[in-house]
Amino acid sequence: MSNSISSDAALPLAAQRKRRKLRLRKVTFPQLYITASLVYLLFLLVSAITPQLLTHYSPTAMNASELLQSPSLQHWLGTDHFGRDLWTVLVYGSRQSLLLGVVSVLIGGIAGLLLGLVAGYFGGIVDTLLMRLTDILMTIPGTLLAIVIAVAIGPTFFNVILAISISTIPSKARVIRSTVISLRSRMYVDAAKAIGTSHLQIMLRHILPGCWSPLLVMTTIGVGTSILAGTGLSFLGLGVIKEIPDWGYLLSEGRSYMTVAWWIAAFPGLFITLLVVAFNLLGDELRDRLDPKK
């Protein structure tokens, strides 16, 4: 610290001010977008848990006298083709979108963790069989795979979660496998094998703790990707159609009114974009903080 202060003192006044501005920008800009992401996610969490705190309108109440009204002080984001307050529909619809993204990532993360852990630790024929299975799944784009599964088993909420979960397994299994391969050659793992520790105990006590960091980063980023896949299925009509639509279905409905009521499609698309960006920014921040090389 004293060295940096003395080096600043040796610089001209203009150079000192420039260096201070660069330091301030370097410190505050990452904090700014991380804070904004957390605030937006907190808002969505409150929307999903207690939407009544954010709006006094009903998400199912239709009003024929207020069809397709533009944004105003009475209706912040306007009304849709049923006369419903769009802000209210988006707030109530956040519950299904968040639940779909979080649950599908948890299921896919657990399955990918187990596959990668077993394949990386045992190697040999086990590794070959499991990795060839993931290779087959990785040859199909994740969204296309989710569409195929959703069409095959039906568009219920659990089936949509299952379809998205399966499409996220291969990437997580690959990353966990590479992490396990690097950990199984450590000296403490060899020492545990030498004293007769079982394979299960070695994987749980010595290998698994080293896999949490990459899994946490992938899970954080994967929530946004899963929500995007879920809204894509709803946009195509393969999602769950309920009385309160999710963001993807609302975006699909807004396509027919783009020329007369642009806000029906614009604001759901904005909510989806901000959510995906927020999770990606948090995932990048976690990756930087958990990177052992830094």
Side-chain angles (χ1 to χ4, degrees):
M1 184 69 179
S2 59
N3 292 335
S4 62
I5 294 176
S6 60
S7 61
D8 285 349
L11 293 173
L13 183 60
Q16 293 181 28
R17 291 177 179 175
K18 185 176 181 180
R19 176 173 288 190
R20 292 194 191 100
K21 288 181 180 179
L22 290 175
R23 287 177 181 171
L24 183 62
R25 188 180 305 171
K26 184 178 180 180
V27 172
T28 57
F29 183 70
Q31 294 176 351
L32 179 62
Y33 66 68
I34 290 300
T35 302
S37 299
L38 290 175
V39 169
Y40 182 65
L41 293 179
L42 179 62
F43 155 71
L44 292 181
L45 184 61
V46 174
S47 301
I49 297 176
T50 56
Q52 299 85 0
L53 297 178
L54 301 176
T55 178
H56 62 278
Y57 290 103
S58 170
T60 58
M62 302 180 186
N63 192 343
S65 63
E66 297 184 347
L67 300 179
L68 303 178
Q69 288 193 357
S70 60
S72 61
L73 293 178
Q74 183 179 2
H75 300 286
W76 298 348
L77 304 183
T79 60
D80 64 2
H81 51 293
F82 291 119
R84 298 176 297 185
D85 181 68
L86 188 59
W87 166 262
T88 301
V89 178
L90 287 173
V91 167
Y92 276 85
S94 62
R95 178 180 301 174
Q96 182 173 329
S97 297
L98 284 178
L99 187 62
L100 187 147
V102 172
V103 175
S104 61
V105 163
L106 288 177
I107 296 176
I110 293 174
L113 175 65
L114 294 176
L115 285 177
L117 188 63
V118 172
Y121 180 79
F122 290 103
I125 187 64
V126 176
D127 182 26
T128 302
L129 291 176
L130 293 178
M131 287 303 102
R132 295 300 78 78
L133 176 62
T134 60
D135 288 342
I136 294 173
L137 294 177
M138 291 185 73
T139 59
I140 307 174
T143 304
L144 179 59
L145 180 61
I147 291 174
V148 172
I149 297 174
V151 171
I153 60 181
T156 65
F157 187 67
F158 175 77
N159 290 345
V160 172
I161 290 178
L162 182 62
I164 298 174
S165 301
I166 294 175
S167 66
T168 63
I169 290 175
S171 58
K172 294 180 175 60
R174 278 286 183 181
V175 174
I176 296 300
R177 170 184 174 272
S178 62
T179 303
V180 173
I181 290 176
S182 64
L183 291 175
R184 71 180 183 183
S185 60
R186 301 290 176 87
M187 293 183 62
Y188 57 83
V189 176
D190 294 334
K193 292 179 180 179
I195 62 176
T197 307
S198 65
H199 295 303
L200 181 61
Q201 290 179 334
I202 292 175
M203 287 191 290
L204 295 180
R205 294 182 181 180
H206 303 290
I207 303 295
L208 185 59
C211 300
W212 289 126
S213 295
L215 184 63
L216 180 60
V217 174
M218 287 189 301
T219 300
T220 305
I221 298 177
V223 172
T225 306
S226 297
I227 291 175
L228 190 61
T231 55
L233 292 177
S234 298
F235 183 82
L236 296 174
L238 300 175
V240 183
I241 300 177
K242 291 186 176 182
E243 191 176 12
I244 303 175
D246 64 355
W247 294 346
Y249 188 73
L250 193 61
L251 183 64
S252 177
E253 288 183 327
R255 290 182 302 169
S256 304
Y257 301 91
M258 284 296 295
T259 57
V260 294
W262 55 267
W263 51 89
I264 299 179
F267 288 116
L270 180 62
F271 272 54
I272 296 169
T273 301
L274 292 177
L275 180 59
V276 175
V277 170
F279 274 111
N280 286 343
L281 291 176
L282 290 178
D284 290 340
E285 182 68 15
L286 283 175
R287 181 181 57 193
D288 294 339
R289 291 181 177 273
L290 298 176
D291 190 354
K293 298 179 181 179
K294 294 186 177 182

